[in-house]
Amino acid sequence: MSHKIIKVPMGKCNSYLIATEKGFIMVDAGMPDKINKVKQILKEEKATLSHINLIIITHVHYDHVGCLKELKEQSNAQVLVHKSEADLLIRGSTNMPKGTNSIAKILSKISNKFFPNFSKFEPVLPDISIKDEYDLAPFGVDGKILHTPGHTKGSISVILAEGDCLVGDTMFNLFPNTVFPVFANDTEELKQSWEKIKEYDCQRFHPGHGSSFECKKFIKSLNKYET
Ligand SMILES: [Zn+2]
Ligand SMILES: [Zn+2]
């Protein structure tokens, strides 16, 4: 089962569409008010929102669920999330995650203290909540979803048999020498998740922030992390 990955720029973060034999799988639902971007890209593929069958939420942060309610309503797609974050989706709010460097740490503290409503979004009831793994074959693509906690407790990554890995915020491609995320609630857990991802020998990585990158950059970042 072949597929194609299409990047959807959604403001400061990326969503992706995976074109499969059975329609589209969307990974993440971007910043608010960007639904036209999704429509436009689907139009170029001669498709509409109704061709999306599944929306995978890599984790419940406002920049990944901003258009989710609208998208779900207009596409009728099923929404999938890790079970440990389903309640956040239903509640419609999250905290800013912990920073992994000094500037991000300060930013995170300030925003949680002074802007507790900063990360509010339209609540959505998920259709599927997963635990460790989830097979994507019924949606027309060889691949699976893997629980990769660290950035948040319920972060998940999509691993496709042809060598693509869609990682959400488990990796950030914003710096020249590393893909280590700027924010992560548990860096030890994150490292274990990276080790788990490594097992799959993925060739191309597609992050929530920054451009797609090759396996080499991931391995280099992982080796740096281990020392
Ligand atoms: Zn995030
Ligand atoms: Zn993000």
Side-chain angles (χ1 to χ4, degrees):
M1 292 190 272
S2 64
H3 68 266
K4 175 167 118 180
I5 294 176
I6 308 153
K7 183 173 172 174
V8 188
M10 303 278 273
K12 66 171 183 143
C13 106
N14 311 318
S15 291
Y16 296 90
L17 284 164
I18 305 169
T20 79
E21 286 170 6
K22 292 188 178 172
F24 291 84
I25 297 173
M26 187 160 183
V27 179
D28 282 335
M31 296 288 287
D33 307 319
K34 296 282 176 192
I35 194 165
N36 283 338
K37 197 85 212 175
V38 187
K39 286 182 186 166
Q40 180 200 324
I41 285 177
L42 283 166
K43 201 173 167 189
E44 287 164 18
E45 298 294 319
K46 301 188 171 38
T48 63
L49 288 178
S50 63
H51 292 97
I52 304 175
N53 302 316
L54 176 68
I55 304 171
I56 299 169
I57 300 302
T58 62
H59 64 294
V60 182
H61 275 159
Y62 78 102
D63 53 330
H64 298 253
V65 293
C67 286
L68 183 59
K69 188 170 193 269
E70 260 180 299
L71 272 171
K72 183 173 163 60
E73 278 172 3
Q74 294 186 37
S75 68
N76 251 325
Q78 291 187 281
V79 170
L80 180 150
V81 71
H82 190 264
K83 74 179 183 86
S84 66
E85 296 189 10
D87 62 326
L88 297 176
L89 204 54
I90 295 164
R91 201 167 68 202
S93 80
T94 48
N95 268 345
M96 181 110 167
K98 286 183 197 160
T100 59
N101 62 42
S102 49
I103 295 167
K105 272 180 189 155
I106 294 167
L107 246 163
S108 169
K109 276 190 187 147
I110 293 175
S111 110
N112 280 329
K113 190 161 180 190
F114 297 104
F115 310 103
N117 294 330
F118 176 71
S119 302
K120 283 223 179 305
F121 53 86
E122 292 277 358
V124 173
L125 199 64
D127 303 282
I128 306 168
S129 62
I130 71 155
K131 214 178 148 214
D132 300 327
E133 287 191 15
Y134 187 85
D135 182 15
L136 287 171
F139 290 94
V141 68
D142 276 332
K144 65 175 174 182
I145 305 173
L146 207 62
H147 184 209
T148 52
H151 175 68
T152 62
K153 211 169 138 190
S155 287
I156 52 180
S157 300
V158 180
I159 293 177
L160 301 178
E162 287 179 12
D164 291 288
C165 183
L166 297 94
V167 292
D169 287 1
T170 294
M171 299 172 200
F172 275 50
N173 192 16
L174 300 176
F175 305 107
N177 294 314
T178 183
V179 292
F180 192 73
V182 186
F183 298 98
N185 281 335
D186 190 328
T187 50
E188 194 46 46
E189 216 173 35
L190 183 81
K191 189 183 160 195
Q192 285 164 20
S193 293
W194 276 23
E195 296 283 358
K196 201 162 31 165
I197 290 171
K198 190 187 165 197
E199 305 279 299
Y200 290 88
D201 279 329
C202 300
Q203 296 307 304
R204 293 163 300 277
F205 291 83
H206 310 281
H209 301 274
S211 49
S212 299
F213 55 93
E214 304 281 312
C215 172
K216 215 165 66 183
K217 189 165 183 181
F218 166 57
I219 298 297
K220 200 170 139 193
S221 308
L222 181 63
N223 290 341
K224 213 183 268 184
Y225 199 174
E226 280 168 339
T227 50

